[in-house]
Amino acid sequence: MSEGRDDPPLSAGEELALARLALGEGDLPHAAGHVAAALAKAPTLPEAHETLARIAATAGGGGVELFALHSHAFVGVVVARAHLLAAAGRPAEGLELLAAATGHERRADWAGVPWVTAPELPQRLDPGLVAKVLMQVCAGVPDPVPRAERAPLSPYLALARNAVAAHPEHGLLLGAASALARRLGEVAVAIRWASRGVRAQPSKLGEVWLGYAYRSAGRTREALAALVRAVDHDPNDLAVYADIAGTLADNGRLDEALEWVDRALARDPAFDCAVHTAHRLRFQRDGDVAHLVALADFVRDHPDDSHEHGDLAECCRSRPWLGQLTPAAGAAVAALRHALTEDPPGLGTTVRLETLEPPSALRTVAAAVPGLRVEVAAVADPDPREPRRATDRPLWRWDGAVAAPTVPAPSAEAADRVRQLAHPAWPHPPAAYDAAVGLATLELSDLLGLLVHPPEAPPTGMGRVLAGQDPSLWVRCVQVWACLGLLHHRTDEAWASSTRRRVLVELVWGVEDWITEAALFALVTAAWVDPSVRPDVAAVVAERLADAAVVARERPVPIAVSLAYLALATPGLDPATAALAGELISGPAPAPRPGPLRRLWARLTRRR
């Protein structure tokens, strides 16, 4: 369906005024167009329905043909046609159109009209058709529907009540009515209707509806019993196996859940629901990222799954580098966060660092709080101003303890593009890779310039929060997305000798900095989306983490823990490096972040 014309929007009242003018001139097509527009804006407005009735009376034949349906029908036309069909004695067709409108926009009260909720309506309808309409509505709404969005769906629940009263022994109708009641928070009613349905007509689908109703009520034992009976009805419906596994897992019974998943996979190793559930549950059990990588491979190799799954995103959510970047560590950014709580921020305050910290951290502090003075007690060995390996592409030059970029600032276009993309959270690494394609046409000089000349945060809610409470998060966002953009640079080049690999590896081994983390994340992401590069990336990650561990024995390495989390997110990482990563992560616990920062982080990394 479409939203209508491209003309400047008019109110429902203005549309009706134009409809009446057109009607008075005998121009029925224009009158129909305006009343359809009015219904789209105010679907229960009495004046709109009165005008629609006048058009129908004038047109003859019920006026239905004035509201013909096309491939991209305007939703107002669909709704108007539904009401006219009902008035012409064809309410079944009208209900189907209203359900389609609800699927298009569930928050609009398309069905909030007397003929839909009339108690006598179901007596004129085939109960199987009412069940079909209710299932059509259920297919277009979440389970459960948020409380604030339930009111526009209540006419369908009234229809269900009336239909159940008129056809009290129709199993399919009772089950479909139960499914709708469950979604609208009427769980007790859902259980009652589904129970009646399986008694009247035992079936797999009826048991599934009953199991879901019990599950929504927290009655796990009864839910599992119903779902198992559904399997007895149809042992080949593997989706029910996955439902049983999910229910068991939600109640901490992982081993039993995996037994059901394995039963499904034994029947069909490529059944999507079972594959997604299996990898998610195995990751829950042992935390091995290999399960998630295998799931990402399956998703890539099976783009035509029967429906969308959220298992991969669910597992990656809120996990360092799998679903979000890590907050910066170190004394410099800790001082920055504290200074931003003062009024005025950091004025006259001096922060003494034990040793030199990453240049991005020092530059961020200087830019965000100019009144905060930073003094460095010493430059510890190994010298953090030197790249960890020789490079022809240094991004920083040092004048004592002050760092400055060596590359020019990016173009305005590059700055605008990264402002539109940069965010501290993503569903999973392949999704981050796909999102970064918007940076594919940027020049290499622009992408490198973004790393050391991050633009100001955008004037959005997120941007204002970052700028006011922790500017380091925004800088890290820019660096991460710029490096993801590098993954899309000259993708026609073979990986081993490509510009994108060479540049990212140089950044990984450059001066110890936040850019190191961003570049390593880009390489890890490349390994997620391209199995052929996994051995190469795993080797780079292992070497870089080993180097950080060696340096950490001599002096603080603020990025060490983050590098360890990156290692654990790497496909095909060797066991020894994984163990080293665990040791770095489980080292001395950092001081807890201040309460406001913790709340900020939760807000920014909330699911997008």
Side-chain angles (χ1 to χ4, degrees):
M1 295 184 195
S2 73
E3 294 297 336
R5 303 182 302 274
D6 295 327
D7 300 329
L10 301 176
S11 69
E14 290 169 327
E15 294 283 8
L16 289 176
L18 292 173
R20 295 185 190 105
L21 284 174
L23 185 58
E25 295 172 357
D27 188 348
L28 294 182
H30 275 97
H34 288 298
V35 81
L39 284 169
K41 292 178 171 63
T44 62
L45 185 66
E47 291 86 345
H49 289 270
E50 291 169 7
T51 306
L52 179 64
R54 287 180 57 195
I55 293 173
T58 304
V64 173
E65 296 310 314
L66 288 170
F67 300 91
L69 300 183
H70 306 289
S71 57
H72 296 287
F74 171 42
V75 66
V77 169
V78 173
V79 173
R81 184 179 179 89
H83 295 316
L84 293 181
L85 285 169
R90 297 155 64 185
E93 297 172 66
L95 283 174
E96 290 181 314
L97 290 180
L98 289 183
T102 295
H104 171 71
E105 173 49 77
R106 69 174 186 269
R107 298 172 183 84
D109 193 7
W110 307 116
V113 290
W115 71 265
V116 173
T117 58
E120 65 275 10
L121 174 64
Q123 298 170 12
R124 300 158 49 200
L125 299 173
D126 176 81
L129 185 139
V130 179
K132 177 184 173 183
V133 168
L134 298 180
M135 288 189 282
Q136 186 178 352
V137 172
C138 288
V141 301
D143 184 8
V145 176
R147 188 178 299 276
E149 299 176 12
R150 292 175 183 173
L153 301 171
S154 61
Y156 295 110
L157 186 58
L159 170 65
R161 291 182 190 276
N162 295 332
V164 166
H167 308 284
E169 300 300 317
H170 195 280
L172 185 65
L173 172 61
L174 286 160
S178 170
L180 179 62
R182 185 182 76 246
R183 283 168 169 80
L184 297 182
E186 297 285 348
V187 177
V189 173
I191 292 173
R192 184 166 68 250
W193 285 346
S195 298
R196 284 171 54 185
V198 296
R199 286 197 302 270
Q201 293 175 281
S203 68
K204 176 199 70 177
L205 191 53
E207 294 287 6
V208 168
W209 277 322
L210 179 58
Y212 288 171
Y214 277 133
R215 191 169 63 184
S216 294
R219 296 166 62 174
T220 304
R221 183 178 59 81
E222 293 101 320
L224 289 169
L227 294 173
V228 169
R229 291 194 298 271
V231 171
D232 293 338
H233 278 285
D234 182 4
N236 293 318
D237 188 346
L238 302 184
V240 183
Y241 292 61
D243 285 335
I244 293 172
T247 302
L248 288 164
D250 290 343
N251 288 272
R253 298 160 64 178
L254 278 179
D255 290 338
E256 294 174 76
L258 284 167
E259 288 176 8
W260 277 95
V261 169
D262 289 338
R263 286 175 61 179
L265 293 175
R267 288 177 174 267
D268 181 359
F271 179 61
D272 58 335
C273 290
V275 172
H276 282 258
T277 302
H279 288 307
R280 173 171 58 85
L281 297 185
R282 289 181 178 128
F283 178 73
Q284 278 183 240
R285 185 170 62 178
D286 60 28
D288 189 344
V289 76
H291 302 306
L292 303 187
V293 175
L295 178 52
D297 289 347
F298 180 85
V299 172
R300 184 188 60 251
D301 295 339
H302 298 79
D304 298 323
D305 276 354
S306 60
H307 61 276
E308 184 178 350
H309 295 270
D311 300 80
L312 182 57
E314 178 184 334
C315 291
C316 290
R317 189 180 306 129
S318 300
R319 294 182 181 272
W321 293 113
L322 292 175
Q324 65 181 47
L325 60 80
T326 62
V333 291
L336 168 62
R337 292 164 184 151
H338 178 73
L340 289 172
T341 65
E342 301 176 340
D343 188 19
L347 185 62
T349 302
T350 299
V351 176
R352 292 177 174 81
L353 303 180
E354 181 181 330
T355 187
L356 203 60
E357 296 206 355
S360 289
L362 299 177
R363 295 267 299 176
T364 300
V365 170
V369 189
L372 183 66
R373 294 192 300 273
V374 177
E375 296 179 357
V376 179
V379 178
D381 288 327
D383 192 335
R385 297 171 297 186
E386 296 295 328
R388 297 306 301 155
R389 289 186 180 175
T391 178
D392 295 328
R393 203 185 305 270
L395 296 185
W396 302 104
R397 62 173 178 271
W398 291 87
D399 181 6
V402 178
T406 63
V407 297
S411 66
E413 179 189 2
D416 287 341
R417 285 208 210 169
V418 85
R419 280 194 193 96
Q420 295 170 20
L421 284 177
H423 196 279
W426 43 85
H428 42 72
Y433 174 83
D434 291 342
V437 73
L439 303 174
T441 58
L442 294 182
E443 297 294 335
L444 179 60
S445 58
D446 273 339
L447 293 168
L448 295 176
L450 287 170
L451 295 174
V452 291
H453 298 282
E456 292 184 359
T460 60
M462 183 194 76
R464 286 188 290 271
V465 169
L466 290 175
Q469 298 191 34
D470 191 355
S472 69
L473 286 177
W474 171 248
V475 174
R476 289 168 68 76
C477 285
V478 171
Q479 292 170 336
V480 162
W481 288 90
C483 286
L484 288 172
L486 280 167
L487 281 184
H488 293 277
H489 183 72
R490 297 184 184 175
T491 52
D492 58 316
E493 298 177 347
W495 173 257
S497 58
S498 66
T499 303
R500 61 192 186 280
R501 180 194 182 278
R502 183 176 67 255
V503 172
L504 286 168
V505 170
E506 286 184 7
L507 295 175
V508 164
W509 287 104
V511 170
E512 186 180 290
D513 189 53
W514 298 345
I515 295 170
T516 308
E517 303 167 65
L520 202 62
F521 174 64
L523 289 173
V524 170
T525 300
W528 273 74
V529 299
D530 184 356
S532 70
V533 311
R534 287 174 186 169
D536 174 49
V537 170
V540 173
V541 170
E543 289 183 55
R544 189 63 187 87
L545 189 68
D547 181 79
V550 169
V551 174
R553 298 190 190 107
E554 306 297 326
R555 61 166 172 80
V557 179
I559 66 172
V561 171
S562 180
L563 294 181
Y565 279 116
L566 277 163
L568 295 181
T570 303
L573 190 72
D574 65 278
T577 302
L580 175 60
E583 293 173 9
L584 290 171
I585 291 170
S586 61
R593 297 197 299 271
L597 180 60
R598 189 178 298 111
R599 291 191 293 272
L600 164 66
W601 188 244
R603 175 180 171 186
L604 292 176
T605 55
R606 186 177 302 151
R607 189 173 188 178
R608 298 177 73 179

